[in-house]
């Protein structure tokens, strides 16, 4: 799953700056949750942390998976 996240991130990084703006992010509605430090960009690390939080939250609360 980690490689898939990196591939998706790289494909979405249209300007090649190593971070995704809200416009570049594949799921714009989730962007605020991914942009942990609120700088207006999502890094690969923030994206990975978001996926882990979602996965761990879904394990403890199955209804979270549908959000």
């Amino acid at each position: 799953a980690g490689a898939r996240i990196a591939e998706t991130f790289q494909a979405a990084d249209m300007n090649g700056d190593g971070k995704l703006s809200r416009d570049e992010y594949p799921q714009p509605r989730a962007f605020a949750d991914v942009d942990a430090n609120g700088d207006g960009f999502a890094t690969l690390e923030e994206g990975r942390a978001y996926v882990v939080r979602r996965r761990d939250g879904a394990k403890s609360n199955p209804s979270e998976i549908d959000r």
Side-chain angles (χ1 to χ4, degrees), residues 30-51:
F31 184 82
D33 292 331
V34 176
D35 180 19
N37 65 1
D39 68 353
F41 295 97
T43 63
L44 179 56
E45 293 75 22
E46 287 173 320
R48 285 183 173 145
Y50 172 75
V51 169

Side-chain angles (χ1 to χ4, degrees), residues 44-62:
L44 179 56
E45 293 75 22
E46 287 173 320
R48 285 183 173 145
Y50 172 75
V51 169
V52 168
R53 286 192 310 271
R54 293 267 308 168
R55 183 189 64 213
D56 292 350
K59 287 178 184 174
S60 63
N61 183 1

